[in-house]
Amino acid sequence: MSIPKIPIAEWVEALEGWLETNFEPVFDGVKLVVGNIVNGLADGFNFLPPLVVIALFTILAYWLGKVRLGAFTLLGLLLVLNLGYWEHTMDTLALVLTASFISIVLGVPIGILCAGNKRAQSIITPLLDLMQTMPAFVYLLPAVAFFSLGVVPGVIASVIFSIPPTIRLTSLGIRQVPEDLVEAADAFGSTSMQKLIKVQLPIAVPTIMAGINQTIMLSLSMVVIASMIGAQGVGADVYKAVTQAKTGIGTEAGLAVVVLAIMLDRMTQKLAKKNKKE
């Protein structure tokens, strides 16, 4: 006697159809807002002359990491410009920054909730496990169903894929605040909000920044994958090179992604160290 198959696929598709029918205005609103943010950032990066943008990023990198990071940023971005991937790299940067911003805005409050509410943590933690272990390509399917093709589903898929580290490490950072400091804040009559803002968050900033760093890296990797559903940027060049078996072009596009990844990674790490020193 065979055991009947659990109709998970049918349940998921039924839920998807119900959401499409009942929340279409919400999805349209999200699509409009996210699309405007991405296009605005991309237009802003591409409006300025490339050398001006390179100079600005080099100054920022030097301020954060001194000579070594500044030199890498300068040479890396000049390489991207020389290879002819400047515009697409700026499009990718706009996608990553948008996805990372949304992940941080949503992830930090959820992490704070998990740190202060054990019931919420017990519910959210399994969801984070699911989000981090589900194959990345699976996220493209509901994103396309709700937002069609283009940059917006790419951003939404990137948010779902990259938000767990921010939530986890925000919660961890707050829970690791020494008990004696929390008790001292209570003894001085601090409210929960005052205790959070003046004691817990400042101490947890390095851990939270580590989560944000991971979120940015995951956003970048997902944005490249999202080129399969019409997301703009260097990912489209990588995907085209793969489908046409052009190793040289794929390597050039991959180098642009590597430069962007290392630059963002080192900048966020240096920013976290600066906050820790302060």
Side-chain angles (χ1 to χ4, degrees):
M1 180 179 177
S2 61
I3 301 175
K5 178 185 174 182
I6 301 174
I8 294 178
E10 289 77 3
W11 293 344
V12 171
E13 290 175 2
L15 175 62
E16 180 183 273
W18 182 81
L19 290 172
E20 286 182 24
T21 302
N22 293 278
F23 290 89
E24 185 177 358
V26 176
F27 295 137
D28 289 341
V30 171
K31 183 176 181 180
L32 179 65
V33 172
V34 173
N36 286 337
I37 293 174
V38 174
N39 292 330
L41 284 173
D43 291 343
F45 287 136
N46 287 312
F47 174 75
L48 295 173
L51 293 179
V52 173
V53 177
I54 291 173
L56 292 175
F57 276 119
T58 302
I59 292 170
L60 176 61
Y62 178 79
W63 177 71
L64 290 172
K66 301 303 179 184
V67 176
R68 184 176 296 180
L69 183 57
F72 173 82
T73 301
L74 175 61
L75 295 176
L77 292 180
L78 286 175
L79 175 64
V80 171
L81 179 62
N82 177 262
L83 293 175
Y85 291 98
W86 179 260
E87 184 175 344
H88 287 182
T89 301
M90 292 301 101
D91 291 341
T92 297
L93 180 60
L95 285 166
V96 171
L97 292 180
T98 303
S100 301
F101 174 75
I102 296 172
S103 297
I104 293 166
V105 168
L106 296 177
V108 171
I110 295 173
I112 293 172
L113 175 64
C114 289
N117 190 315
K118 290 185 178 180
R119 180 174 295 180
Q121 184 181 5
S122 65
I123 295 172
I124 293 173
T125 299
L127 295 177
L128 297 179
D129 294 337
L130 176 68
M131 292 163 67
Q132 288 187 291
T133 54
M134 183 72 71
F137 292 96
V138 176
Y139 294 125
L140 302 180
L141 300 174
V144 170
F146 297 139
F147 301 102
S148 70
L149 299 175
V151 298
V152 176
V155 170
I156 299 302
S158 299
V159 170
I160 297 172
F161 183 68
S162 63
I163 197 173
T166 295
I167 298 174
R168 287 186 187 278
L169 290 177
T170 298
S171 176
L172 177 64
I174 292 175
R175 284 188 281 110
Q176 286 182 334
V177 174
E179 284 294 329
D180 55 343
L181 294 180
V182 178
E183 291 172 359
D186 290 332
F188 281 101
S190 300
T191 64
S192 298
M193 185 60 67
Q194 289 173 332
K195 184 168 59 178
L196 175 66
I197 294 175
K198 296 183 178 181
V199 178
Q200 294 172 310
L201 282 179
I203 295 174
V205 161
T207 306
I208 295 172
M209 288 300 299
I212 291 174
N213 175 268
Q214 291 183 30
T215 289
I216 292 173
M217 293 298 99
L218 290 173
S219 297
L220 181 56
S221 65
M222 190 63 191
V223 161
V224 173
I225 295 173
S227 63
M228 296 176 64
I229 56 174
Q232 60 194 14
V234 185
D237 298 302
V238 174
Y239 181 63
K240 186 184 298 182
V242 170
T243 57
Q244 297 177 359
K246 294 186 176 180
T247 307
I249 294 176
T251 302
E252 288 183 349
L255 283 174
V257 175
V258 168
V259 168
L260 194 58
I262 295 176
M263 186 179 76
L264 292 174
D265 177 60
R266 299 299 187 271
M267 283 186 176
T268 51
Q269 286 184 14
K270 297 296 183 182
L271 183 60
K273 289 181 180 179
K274 275 186 173 291
N275 287 328
K276 189 174 183 179
K277 289 178 182 178
E278 294 172 358

